[in-house]
Amino acid sequence: MIETTNVKAFGTEAAEAPLNELGISRRKPTAHDVEIDILFCGVCHSDLHTAKNEWHGTQYPCVPGHEIVGKIISVGDHVSKFKVGDTVGVGCIVDSCRECQYCQDGLEQFCEPGMTGTYNSPDKYLDTPTFGGYSESVVVDENYVLRIPENLDLAATAPLLCAGITTYSPLRHWNVGPGQKVGIVGIGGLGHMGIKIAKAMGAEVVAFTTSEAKFAEAKRLGADEVVMSKDKDQMAAYTGKLHFILDAVSAEHDINAFLSLLRVDGSLALVGAPEQPLPVAAFSLIMGRKSFSGSMIGGIAETQEMLDFCGEHHITADIEMIDIQEINQAYERMLKGDVKYRFVIDMASLKK
């Protein structure tokens, strides 16, 4: 029998309904669980998609939030990795089968039976969906909890748990580093992290944007060069010049225009999620033995590696802090691209 406790949260009970205060049940810590008092929670575009059932399959009530930073307030009897008072993080994964080859290889995001997402996944303990970080507290198995470097601002660290690992993982997988010219397409919640991380890895970073207003921003974030992607002449100057491209655009765009910028054996990894398919011309790949791929978050070990890397290089997200009561307005602004570059909720506002 799993004991539960009631906690305050913010979520929605229907796709067309606004988010508002809800009461939810959390399990009390079992042997390997830690209970976390949530201090900050980042706001990801996935939160909005899920709350509005835009990807279909949302279970209601829905409590979003998978960029969680907080302090441990209690631990199960057999917890060995953490103690009360530790500052920790929880990202997009709170469990997985632990037995398939992908889990064994530290790729829990590709768990064959399916990872347990921080929200909107079947809860292994309770007859409910999992509930995310727009809440007072969360209980998570210690094996899916991350340590937060002591030198990083906690609020600005929260988005690293999704935006940070989503960009770090492909940059790491394709061995981005010194001597490489790397393109980052799109300067938003994901792209601004991609610029910072690729630069810290030692690459020469070229940022691509459709907005002249973002030229100075891209340079401030660390880009060596900035290109107006709507300008054919500017784009042509980079034909065959890039070793790797990280594409963080979630809107329809001409992927072939960017594939043409890759060197022989170059790779383009998509981390944005456009609603419509992106047509790819065969010769965009054949001429140059190029690769077009995708990437999704990262496993637990790699996420910890990312956090340690960001601690070493003093990397955090650029954020705008909000109270939980402002979340519906934040969603509206996010749809308009009116945020630089990530909203973070001060969860103390939920306890008022």
Side-chain angles (χ1 to χ4, degrees):
M1 179 69 69
I2 298 295
E3 291 187 75
T4 63
T5 186
N6 293 325
V7 303
K8 195 185 294 185
F10 235 76
T12 181
E13 297 179 281
E16 65 280 2
L19 276 69
N20 51 52
E21 190 174 310
L22 301 172
I24 60 170
S25 292
R26 296 284 194 198
R27 71 179 183 270
K28 291 185 177 180
T30 61
H32 290 281
D33 285 337
V34 300
E35 182 181 13
I36 303 165
D37 177 46
I38 301 174
L39 301 177
F40 302 101
C41 186
V43 180
C44 177
H45 217 105
S46 300
D47 298 351
L48 187 156
H49 287 308
T50 305
K52 302 297 184 186
N53 198 27
E54 293 175 356
W55 289 340
H56 310 294
T58 300
Q59 305 171 75
Y60 295 98
C62 173
V63 175
H66 57 204
E67 298 177 342
I68 300 167
V69 170
K71 285 193 179 293
I72 293 178
I73 53 176
S74 70
V75 300
D77 293 340
H78 297 295
V79 168
S80 60
K81 298 180 179 180
F82 301 98
K83 65 183 186 304
V84 171
D86 285 349
T87 303
V88 295
V90 177
C92 304
I93 308 172
V94 292
D95 212 335
S96 63
C97 81
R98 314 184 192 203
E99 297 176 354
C100 73
Q101 189 62 56
Y102 297 121
C103 285
Q104 292 292 312
D105 291 343
L107 299 170
E108 296 91 347
Q109 73 271 34
F110 302 125
C111 174
E112 286 188 273
M115 70 176 192
T116 301
T118 306
Y119 60 86
N120 201 48
S121 279
D123 192 301
K124 288 186 176 182
Y125 295 86
L126 307 175
D127 188 24
T128 65
T130 52
F131 296 126
Y134 296 7
S135 56
E136 290 180 291
S137 62
V138 66
V139 176
V140 182
D141 185 290
E142 64 175 327
N143 293 298
Y144 297 81
V145 175
L146 293 310
R147 293 188 179 278
I148 303 297
E150 293 181 358
N151 64 312
L152 296 182
D153 177 84
L154 295 185
T157 295
L160 301 184
L161 278 305
C162 178
I165 186 58
T166 296
T167 49
Y168 179 89
S169 184
L171 291 168
R172 181 78 168 82
H173 181 77
W174 274 276
N175 298 311
V176 163
Q180 292 186 325
K181 206 174 185 77
V182 171
I184 306 294
V185 185
I187 306 169
L190 291 176
H192 94 286
M193 291 304 310
I195 292 173
K196 292 183 179 189
I197 292 171
K199 184 66 177 177
M201 288 177 168
E204 183 180 347
V205 179
V206 183
F208 294 85
T209 179
T210 58
S211 170
E212 287 187 2
K214 289 192 174 179
F215 272 51
E217 276 290 289
K219 287 288 185 76
R220 179 186 66 80
L221 292 165
D224 297 286
E225 302 163 43
V226 189
V227 177
M228 171 61 74
S229 58
K230 294 187 291 188
D231 186 315
K232 291 183 179 180
D233 291 336
Q234 288 189 39
M235 291 287 283
Y238 287 86
T239 300
K241 296 289 196 296
L242 304 181
H243 295 84
F244 180 78
I245 297 173
L246 183 70
D247 187 337
V249 175
S250 291
E252 289 185 64
H253 58 293
D254 183 4
I255 203 72
N256 298 287
F258 292 101
L259 289 170
S260 71
L261 308 185
L262 291 172
R263 295 166 57 91
V264 171
D265 288 330
S267 296
L268 184 152
L270 185 66
V271 293
E275 208 172 306
Q276 300 299 323
L278 298 177
V280 178
F283 282 101
S284 293
L285 301 175
I286 291 170
M287 303 300 288
R289 201 164 57 191
K290 299 169 185 177
S291 299
F292 176 38
S293 59
S295 184
M296 182 184 78
I297 54 173
I300 299 302
E302 188 175 51
T303 305
Q304 186 64 62
E305 178 185 297
M306 176 275 303
L307 287 169
D308 294 341
F309 177 90
C310 288
E312 180 183 348
H313 294 275
H314 304 281
I315 295 171
T316 54
D318 286 24
I319 68 166
E320 180 178 338
M321 193 90 80
I322 62 169
D323 288 346
I324 190 66
Q325 293 80 10
E326 301 172 284
I327 189 63
N328 293 298
Q329 293 88 342
Y331 276 13
E332 290 174 11
R333 287 181 54 195
M334 197 159 57
L335 281 171
K336 299 173 185 174
D338 179 24
V339 55
K340 291 183 178 178
Y341 285 95
R342 214 61 171 187
F343 287 117
V344 172
I345 305 165
D346 180 353
M347 296 308 303
S349 61
L350 182 60
K351 300 171 186 176
K352 290 178 181 175

